[in-house]
Amino acid sequence: MSGRTMEWAARANHLGGLPRKVVITAIGTFAKAVANLLNTTTVHNGDILIRLVRSRPAGVPLLTVSNHMSTLDDPVMWAFKGFPICDAKLARWVLAAEDICFKNTVLSYFFRIGKCIPITRGGGIYQEHMNEALDRLTEGAWLHTFPEGKVCQEDAPIRRLKWGTASLIARAPVTPIVLPIIHHGFEKVMPENYAFGRRPPVPLWNQEIKIVVGEPMEFNLPELREMALSQSRDSSSSSGQWPRNILGGLNEAAQKCLYMTISDQIRTTLENLRNFSKSYAKAEQ
């Protein structure tokens, strides 16, 4: 994809910000109904997320990462009680699959004013819209990603992560606060294979949604860069297509080592949180 799809609609001053406020409020109201009226939602450590969304240091971006259980994870995972889901200024930016959310002009406009950034699957970590996501982090905004890259409704270990999230962490001028989140139950609210291999037309009800927020992760990027340089010295793998003018001039092999290391740390943290959430759920029963 060349250029940035309908980027003008994603600007905060588009039509005085009114379309964004209307859409964020409507989506938030819908999500609250799904999470708290139709279903039962419990959250562990939700205060950490609320605090970081409302009052982190000026200019410091927030990057939340989570597993991906259904097409409803976002926005419903932000609809637990006490969270400012209808506040358009505080609302997250989120990476969204272009082939699902941006199939036509109407959908593209809707998701754009809803603070979604289209990502082309298979388009690589240096595609133009990843630069747009980087711009949002540079502005100190909150961005959410699903680093597994696609929905998985099985109760299974976190899969190998795509490198896009790691690249954003490494490339951001101010290293973002990275907050891991694990959730269960959305696969029952919006199952992928409900009838004839399709999702239900509306969210299902009388299900339990559980959300567990972890502790902020820390990345010593200067040390990780040095380690990546050291590990990549013996590697000759290069496609010649990766930029060399980023991350202090790291070559392609070093960039790959760096992104792999960061991704592995996130995956391990998410998996540990997933295991904690299961034992936490059992203890509550």
Side-chain angles (χ1 to χ4, degrees), residues 108-269:
S108 295
Y109 182 70
F110 176 79
F111 282 104
R112 269 310 207 171
I113 58 180
K115 300 176 80 169
C116 297
I117 299 172
I119 293 298
T120 305
R121 296 195 230 213
I125 61 176
Y126 292 120
Q127 61 181 280
E128 183 56 36
H129 284 113
M130 287 298 284
N131 292 333
E132 183 181 343
L134 185 61
D135 288 345
R136 301 292 80 79
L137 292 179
T138 302
E139 294 164 357
W142 167 28
L143 175 72
H144 182 72
T145 72
F146 297 102
E148 290 177 290
K150 60 182 179 180
V151 169
C152 177
Q153 299 201 321
E154 298 169 10
D155 183 14
I158 301 295
R159 294 164 298 175
R160 177 187 173 278
L161 305 186
K162 307 293 184 184
W163 289 351
T165 298
S167 77
L168 291 173
I169 294 169
R171 294 165 65 198
V174 176
T175 303
I177 298 169
V178 180
L179 191 67
I181 302 172
I182 285 289
H183 49 74
H184 302 280
F186 289 113
E187 72 281 8
K188 296 176 182 173
V189 176
M190 184 57 68
E192 288 287 296
N193 295 309
Y194 179 67
F196 305 107
R198 293 179 176 270
R199 303 181 196 105
V202 295
L204 304 185
W205 50 90
N206 289 338
Q207 307 296 333
E208 288 192 358
I209 299 168
K210 296 187 182 297
I211 302 166
V212 177
V213 180
E215 297 291 333
M217 299 180 65
E218 293 186 4
F219 295 94
N220 186 336
L221 286 175
E223 185 179 290
L224 290 175
R225 284 193 195 99
E226 286 299 316
M227 197 165 69
L229 265 175
S230 166
Q231 291 174 344
S232 66
R233 283 199 180 105
D234 299 329
S235 174
S236 59
S237 69
S238 175
S239 64
Q241 296 176 343
W242 283 37
R244 292 189 61 115
N245 59 342
I246 62 169
L247 299 171
L250 293 187
N251 62 25
E252 182 176 332
Q255 289 176 48
K256 288 179 177 178
C257 281
L258 178 61
Y259 298 158
M260 192 182 304
T261 301
I262 294 173
S263 295
D264 285 347
Q265 287 186 24
I266 296 173
R267 182 186 172 279
T268 299
T269 300

